[in-house]
Amino acid sequence: MTNTDTTGARPAREREQVVIIGTGFSGLGMAIALKRAGMHDFVILEKADEVGGTWRENTYPGCACDIMSLLYSYSFEPKADWSRMFPRQEELLDYIKGVVDKYGLRRHIRFNVEVTGTEYDDATDSWQIATATGEMIGARVLVSAMGPLHRPSIPDLPGMETFAGRTFHSAEWDHDYDLTGKRVAVIGTGASAIQFVPRIAERVASLTLFQRTPPWIIPKPDRRVTEVEKNLFRNVPGVQRAYRNGIYLMQESFVLGFKNPRLLKAASGLAQWHLHRQVKDPALRRKLTPDYTMGCKRTLVSSDYYPALTRPNVDLVTDGVKEIRENSIVRGDGTEIEVDAIIFGTGFHVTDAFENAHIVGRHGVKIQDAWKDGIQAHLGVSVAGFPNLFLLLGPNSGLGHNSMIFIIEAQVRYVMQCLRLLAAGDATRISVRPTVQDRFNAWVQRKSEGAVWVAGGCTSWYLDRNGKNRAAWPASTVNYWLRTRRLRRSDFELATVRDPVGADL
Ligand code: NAP
């Protein structure tokens, strides 16, 4: 969402019961739940011309998920024939498109509609949603399913504007630019970079990789799923579910270490062994050894990243970027390196993603004012003062250790309960009580203190500029499931405007 406000847009002519923004896993999961509940009066707005969210946007070479296929899929839409243990972007996008077709969601989607601002109208208890084309859409309920990792963050490096070569971000990969034989600089060594670096290293003339903080990396046990396994998944009841549950429990075991890093010893031992096995040069190994607690940043999974760094055409630079010139990058130590292209694997705006968003709640309160002390929402979903608005994958509902689809499904179930409450009470407005949100966020911050993201000796996109955890869920996913399984009626205020238009949820 950009910072255009809704003034000047054409007034809403139609009103939907529910408008969902985004067609990634969360927006589509919400749409399916509505359909299954017989609520067909909804529209999904999508800024692009295809579905898929992060798996449509990220097309960089090597793009894949580091959670296993059998877990990184909807629980209610198992796929028995995943080709690999870890799904690649193309296969995930195919899966998503298959789900969209199966549930007949395309007719609910309006493609190429970018939302530029949303305002709550107290008089009618509805959201007014402005789009880039100047249209205004009204909705009783607004579900923001835009994903926390979709606004590329590109650092403002000195001299950037003078660079004459090609530059792009990993999430906006320039497939028209042939990297073969080029001198390339990559900035960043996060989850995205470690996937594309091995792919491009073999094609480019030289690759200079600027690392600020070395990530912890464990091996990726990826392989093709065998025909025997696929047959078992297809034909023997319960096998695929048991496999999925097994992966879930294995992933979930990492959470114990977030509060007690000593328990992560086995995993950090595995990561150290992995580094020693794949990198023989002690100087390179030293540069790649993290000096903070594992889990503080997202632990990465790769078996081809370290070998790529041992190639003769790859240089790992750890003294930073001093300056960018017309055809070169000057390293921290003053060495000038000629490059044709710079690729940013520098991540996304997360805790600051809403700084320019135009979201106005009751009584004209802007989201920036509501969140002046930091982004927060009850269970990552509901924001006090912003009735009938539901965030999917909102503040503090991110995971560093397990599948986000688990959280998405829990949140969708929670939102459905809110909608049922609205309908049952014949109400037009549902709003989380401020005290409930405050209590929940005090708990989040208490749980985060001393946990690995805050006390692990690193910075990450989980933390805001004051060092507070605003992105990561600070407990187990079971805890999240329990908290969202049954909505507490007393957590919400319901109200009805006198002459509601279309209050028939
Ligand atoms: P990221 O994990 O935030 O990594 C960004 C990288 O850029 C870090 O190495 C960071 O260094 C570096 N960086 C940022 N600003 C810099 C600057 N000014 N100068 C030098 N280096 C700079 O971003 P990402 O790799 O795009 O991944 C983002 C998230 O997307 C992940 O955490 C994950 O949740 C998700 N993701 C998931 C998968 C998957 O397989 N499931 C794959 C890709 C992405 P510092 O560490 O020093 O900050």
Side-chain angles (χ1 to χ4, degrees), residues 73-307:
S73 37
Y74 293 121
S75 60
F76 53 86
E77 266 314 316
K79 172 173 150 70
D81 61 348
W82 286 106
S83 69
R84 303 195 67 83
M85 298 303 281
F86 289 86
R88 294 184 174 163
Q89 176 259 338
E90 300 86 347
E91 194 169 7
L92 273 168
L93 192 54
D94 278 353
Y95 169 82
I96 293 171
K97 287 180 186 170
V99 169
V100 166
D101 292 339
K102 176 170 173 184
Y103 286 88
L105 297 180
R106 276 192 194 271
R107 64 172 170 274
H108 291 272
I109 304 172
R110 290 184 55 194
F111 290 105
N112 301 306
V113 177
E114 185 179 357
V115 173
T116 55
T118 58
E119 289 188 10
Y120 193 74
D121 178 14
D122 294 273
T124 57
D125 274 347
S126 66
W127 282 93
Q128 303 296 306
I129 302 153
T131 73
T133 54
E135 186 189 5
M136 189 79 105
I137 300 165
R140 168 76 65 228
V141 168
L142 178 61
V143 179
S144 170
M146 294 188 288
L149 299 161
H150 77 138
R151 284 194 49 219
S153 166
I154 296 185
D156 188 15
L157 298 169
M160 247 319 258
E161 64 294 345
T162 61
F163 186 63
R166 195 68 73 104
T167 61
F168 54 90
H169 186 275
S170 59
E172 295 167 339
W173 198 270
D174 185 349
H175 290 279
D176 293 333
Y177 184 70
D178 185 5
L179 289 164
T180 312
K182 298 288 193 320
R183 298 162 302 176
V184 176
V186 171
I187 300 182
T189 54
S192 305
I194 69 145
Q195 292 186 336
F196 70 75
V197 160
R199 293 304 180 87
I200 66 169
E202 51 202 33
R203 281 195 274 144
V204 299
S206 65
L207 196 160
T208 310
L209 178 59
F210 287 86
Q211 171 191 276
R212 194 164 64 179
T213 316
W216 282 98
I217 304 178
I218 55 174
K220 185 173 190 175
D222 195 17
R223 60 167 174 82
R224 295 197 73 77
V225 179
T226 65
E227 287 308 314
V228 175
E229 285 169 314
K230 287 182 198 170
N231 276 326
L232 277 173
F233 296 152
R234 247 190 306 261
N235 301 319
V236 184
V239 169
Q240 184 164 0
R241 174 66 54 181
Y243 215 111
R244 180 181 169 104
N245 291 348
I247 302 168
Y248 167 79
L249 289 174
M250 192 230 352
Q251 295 290 150
E252 195 58 12
S253 65
F254 279 96
V255 84
L256 299 171
F258 291 164
K259 252 317 209 194
N260 188 347
R262 267 182 313 176
L263 294 176
L264 279 175
K265 265 226 145 62
S268 54
L270 172 67
Q272 278 156 350
W273 169 81
H274 185 47
L275 173 61
H276 274 247
R277 200 171 65 96
Q278 294 199 318
V279 178
K280 301 296 174 205
D281 172 6
L284 180 58
R285 210 188 271 165
R286 249 193 318 278
K287 287 202 261 184
L288 290 168
T289 303
D291 65 354
Y292 55 90
T293 311
M294 189 180 204
C296 183
K297 285 176 186 293
R298 188 185 169 97
T299 299
L300 307 186
V301 188
S302 172
S303 294
D304 56 5
Y305 175 67
Y306 287 143

Side-chain angles (χ1 to χ4, degrees), residues 401-417:
H401 73 288
N402 213 332
S403 171
M404 287 309 298
I405 308 225
F406 182 92
I407 297 291
I408 288 171
E409 291 189 11
Q411 293 188 333
V412 165
R413 267 195 304 272
Y414 192 72
V415 175
M416 288 306 295
Q417 293 176 68

Side-chain angles (χ1 to χ4, degrees), residues 310-383:
T310 65
R311 294 176 62 95
N313 65 334
V314 177
D315 190 18
L316 182 71
V317 172
T318 54
D319 51 24
V321 175
K322 191 169 172 195
E323 187 189 347
I324 298 195
R325 295 185 182 156
E326 194 178 347
N327 298 302
S328 62
I329 296 192
V330 182
R331 289 173 46 168
D333 70 356
T335 318
E336 187 169 1
I337 305 157
E338 299 231 323
V339 291
D340 303 305
I342 304 174
I343 305 175
F344 292 97
T346 41
F348 301 86
H349 290 281
V350 182
T351 57
D352 58 345
F354 286 87
E355 277 175 9
N356 295 317
H358 186 86
I359 305 173
V360 182
R362 284 198 80 199
H363 311 305
V365 174
K366 295 185 177 144
I367 196 83
Q368 291 81 0
D369 294 327
W371 283 350
K372 62 182 185 317
D373 297 327
I375 61 172
Q376 53 173 284
H378 181 56
L379 294 165
V381 174
S382 302
V383 185

